[in-house]
């Protein structure tokens, strides 16, 4: 009952699960359970350290809508992020291109 007192709004899936989600059935099942639990509690789910399109697609198929990691970008300063955002707004910059590649692969499956 103690956990109900916390105002959680997000659940972050640790990189250890993300890294082995395509390899270990147990980690895939645990990740699916975490996503379902968070969804049932109306929490946003964020998967960290997503490095491949296959990882992103698997997480998406399990219901995870927000991912972060090297697939999209290495860590950047706030100034560099702003510059990339402005560039992406004017053309299909690197962040949009990576996102489009994941979407294209998802559509092909």
């Amino acid at each position: 009952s103690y956990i109900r007192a916390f105002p959680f709004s997000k659940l972050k899936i640790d990189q250890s699960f993300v890294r082995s989600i395509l390899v270990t059935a147990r980690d895939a099942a645990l990740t699916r359970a975490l996503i379902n639990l968070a969804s049932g509690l109306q929490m946003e789910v964020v998967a960290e350290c997503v490095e491949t399109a296959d990882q992103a697609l698997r997480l998406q198929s399990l219901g995870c809508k927000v991912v972060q990691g090297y697939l999209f970008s290495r860590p950047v300063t706030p100034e560099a992020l702003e510059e990339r955002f402005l560039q992406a707004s004017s053309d299909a910059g690197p962040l949009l291109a990576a996102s489009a590649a994941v979407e294209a692969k998802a559509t092909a499956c």
Side-chain angles (χ1 to χ4, degrees):
S1 67
Y2 184 66
I3 197 167
R4 285 184 247 167
F6 291 101
F8 298 124
S9 62
K10 294 180 184 175
L11 177 102
K12 191 171 222 181
I13 298 176
D14 186 70
Q15 63 182 316
S16 63
F17 292 105
V18 173
R19 287 186 177 141
S20 61
I21 195 170
L22 301 173
V23 179
T24 307
R26 183 179 178 114
D27 283 351
L30 284 168
T31 302
R32 182 183 316 109
L34 289 170
I35 292 168
N36 289 338
L37 174 67
S39 177
L41 296 171
Q42 288 82 43
M43 296 172 70
E44 180 180 28
V45 179
V46 179
E48 69 175 6
C49 297
V50 176
E51 297 178 351
T52 70
D54 289 337
Q55 289 171 333
L57 291 171
R58 181 70 172 135
L59 288 160
Q60 182 182 30
S61 76
L62 295 174
C64 182
K65 298 174 183 166
V66 179
V67 298
Q68 63 185 46
Y70 287 171
L71 175 62
F72 301 101
S73 176
R74 300 267 185 197
V76 296
T77 64
E79 296 79 18
L81 180 62
E82 181 180 11
E83 183 179 322
R84 285 184 180 192
F85 179 77
L86 293 173
Q87 180 65 31
S89 296
S90 63
D91 63 34
L95 294 177
L96 292 179
S99 179
V102 170
E103 286 295 324
K105 191 164 186 178
T107 305
C109 292

